Each structure stands twice: as C-alpha cells, then as structure tokens.
Amino acid sequence: MSEKYEKPERVSVHGGHSGQFCNHATDSLEEIVCAYIEYGFSWVGITEHMPPAGSQFIYPEERRAGLTVELLRQRFAAYIREGRRLQEKYRHSLLCFVAMEIETCRGAHDLVDRLVEEFEPDYLVGSVHHVNDIPFDYSQVEYDKAVRHAGGMDALYCRYFDEQFAMLQRFSPSVVGHFDLIRLFDPDYRKRLEKKEIALRIERNLDFIKDNDLILDYNLRSLLKGADEPYVSRSILEMALARGIAAVPGDDSHGVDSIGVNIDRGAALLQEYGFATIWRKPRLFRPK
C-alpha cells in the first residue's frame, strides 16, 4: 500500500506540558510520558515554557501559587532534570525530546540565550504569546487590551507577525509554534489574513521558515477548544505547502486527558492536503 493510504505515525512536535511544571496544566511529567507510550506515539517533544524574563510576566495563576521569577527559574531547572531522567528511563519505549518553548516579550531573547547555554534543551519551539508585552492569548480581556494598545486589530496582526519574524531571525527555532495564534479571539480572522499588509508579513515569515528548513507546528489544541481548524489556518497552510515547508502535528497537551486528542484527525488533514506524513524530526539544538 502506498504512503498516501497508510495511517501516519503518532507524533507530537509540540506537547507534554504538565501540572508539575506548568500552572495551567495537570498531571506529573512522568504520567504524561507514560500516556504517550500507552497511546502508541513514536516520538514526542516535551516543550515546557521557559521561565519569565521579569516579574511583570508572571501569570495570575502563578502569582496566586506564590511563585516568583527565581522560583519559576528553579522549577524550569527541575523540569530539565526530570525530563532527562524520563528520557533515559523510557528510551526503549518512546523517543522523547526535552525541549523549550520560548517567548518574545521584553528581555526574553537574552534570557533564552542564557537558558540554552545552561540547560542545553534538545530544541526550541519559537512561539509568540505577547504583543507589545501584553499576553494576548491569556484571555479575551488581555486580547482586547492588546488590540487597543496596537491601534486596532489589523495593526495587532502586523505587530504579531513582525515580532514573530524578529524571533525567527534571532533563533531560527527548529519548530515554529502555533504560527497564527493571533487569530485566537478574532471571528473574522480568515478575511483579515488576506489583507495585503498582513499577507505580506505572513509570506515573509514563511519564506524565512522555508529558507532555514524549519518545521511548522500543526497545533491541534485549537480544535479541543472548539475552533474550526488547527493552527495553522488552511490559507496559510496552502502557502506553506507550495513552498515545501514541513508541517508536523502537535497536540500541545496540558495533561493526560488532552494527549493525542485530534492527533489522528490532524495527521489525516495534512495527508489530505498533500503534506508528507513521514514526519520530520526537529533539528536538535546544540550550543555553539
């Protein structure tokens, strides 16, 4: 049977947040890894968030838990240690990468450099959760605040893709996380993505991704939250396909109950669109 009709392997290029190291997730990291094994995954990237670059970037649930910048940094160090332990413990059952999801807010880029040097993660997931230092994906309230600060919805999109481009240029991360997350609270995002000033930025960023052989995270968590399609949107995905960019499913799991949810559906969609489903593994990061 040709590859077209074969069921692709279960993988997640962006997943494995755990309640042990992330306040908006559940379950221990070992429970997460064991669930990936139970559900038949071939390989998975555990991609925990980096610690904040300053106290202003501590999320409300972290503040309520009494966490500080230093405590969050210590927790990240513990994540790396535990990830390496589990990577070795389960190496005969699962190829497990211990990675880091990075940020784009003020001070984050320099912090990424220091974290990479100290902890040597397997690879980076380059994400954008802040625009003008506002965490737009945290809530509708914060998203609306980001819109006002940017001077309108179109301007917010332009700023988002500009900040994403700066991140791509600085780090060339192996995986680009949820490329169009900025659409999160915008019901008219399909039309907005076609606007010239936004579309040109998307094409510029995709060209960089192609030229540097990066992977697009086909992030399925949006489906779990009721969206019509994953990140990346169909229109952007078609541009990526035309450029020969690799897209790989990511469940962006935040607990055992979300591991693998929609992963087979996402793989089938990519297969239907014409993407190769012998999944590209991330380029492993090695400090210079």
Side-chain angles (χ1 to χ4, degrees), residues 1 13 43 53 136 169 210 242 244:
M1 185 179 291
V13 76
W43 60 264
F136 67 85
Q169 287 183 304
K210 169 58 179 176

Side-chain angles (χ1 to χ4, degrees), residues 30-278:
E30 186 156 14
E31 288 171 326
I32 297 291
V33 170
C34 288
Y36 278 117
I37 295 170
E38 179 184 350
Y39 298 156
F41 277 68
S42 299
W43 60 264
V44 64
I46 305 299
T47 54
E48 196 54 80
H49 298 280
M50 64 180 283
S55 60
Q56 68 270 41
F57 299 115
I58 297 176
Y59 285 100
E61 68 266 19
E62 294 169 339
R63 291 188 188 280
R64 288 193 293 270
L67 293 170
T68 63
V69 169
E70 179 56 29
L71 288 173
L72 286 164
R73 188 202 163 283
Q74 291 174 16
R75 186 173 73 174
F76 182 78
Y79 153 69
I80 294 290
R81 289 194 300 271
E82 177 67 355
R84 294 301 185 202
R85 184 185 74 84
L86 298 173
Q87 189 178 51
E88 175 61 23
K89 180 177 179 179
Y90 295 104
R91 63 189 176 89
H92 295 300
S93 303
L94 177 71
L95 177 58
C96 181
F97 300 107
V98 181
M100 174 174 72
E101 186 174 9
I102 66 176
E103 298 290 351
T104 55
C105 50
R106 188 181 345 143
H109 286 183
D110 289 341
L111 178 58
V112 170
D113 288 336
R114 297 195 297 272
L115 293 171
V116 166
E117 182 177 1
E118 181 175 359
F119 296 111
E120 301 184 13
D122 289 329
Y123 64 87
L124 303 181
V125 174
S127 297
V128 179
H129 300 99
H130 299 77
V131 173
N132 296 318
D133 290 341
I134 299 170
F136 67 85
D137 73 322
Y138 184 74
S139 68
Q140 179 77 61
V141 171
E142 291 297 311
Y143 189 89
D144 293 343
K145 180 180 175 182
V147 171
R148 292 192 300 272
H149 192 278
M153 189 77 81
D154 290 359
L156 177 69
Y157 272 65
C158 289
R159 181 64 178 165
Y160 171 87
F161 286 113
D162 284 347
E163 293 198 13
Q164 183 181 70
F165 188 59
M167 177 271 296
L168 292 173
Q169 287 183 304
R170 174 72 179 269
F171 297 110
S172 192
S174 296
V175 178
V176 182
H178 38 59
F179 180 90
D180 53 349
L181 182 65
I182 194 61
R183 74 178 214 221
L184 178 60
F185 293 107
D186 177 15
D188 296 321
Y189 74 86
R190 287 184 175 89
K191 291 182 179 179
R192 203 173 313 281
L193 292 172
E194 296 176 357
K195 292 192 173 186
K196 183 177 180 180
E197 66 273 24
I198 297 171
L200 287 173
R201 286 170 165 83
I202 291 171
E203 292 175 8
R204 174 199 62 195
N205 293 11
L206 289 175
D207 286 340
F208 185 95
I209 290 168
K210 169 58 179 176
D211 291 345
N212 290 272
D213 200 27
L214 311 182
I215 293 172
L216 278 179
D217 161 37
Y218 193 51
N219 192 294
L220 301 164
R221 190 163 180 79
S222 63
L223 299 179
L224 186 63
K225 294 185 174 184
D228 294 334
E229 59 180 343
Y231 308 109
V232 187
S233 303
R234 176 69 183 268
S235 62
I236 299 175
L237 202 62
E238 288 173 348
M239 289 189 279
L241 179 62
R243 286 167 169 79
I245 294 171
V248 179
D251 61 3
D252 204 352
S253 64
H254 281 65
V256 168
D257 63 352
S258 58
I259 285 176
V261 174
N262 292 308
I263 206 78
D264 293 336
R265 177 183 172 188
L269 285 171
L270 289 174
Q271 195 172 47
E272 176 186 329
Y273 298 156
F275 283 87
T277 54
I278 298 177

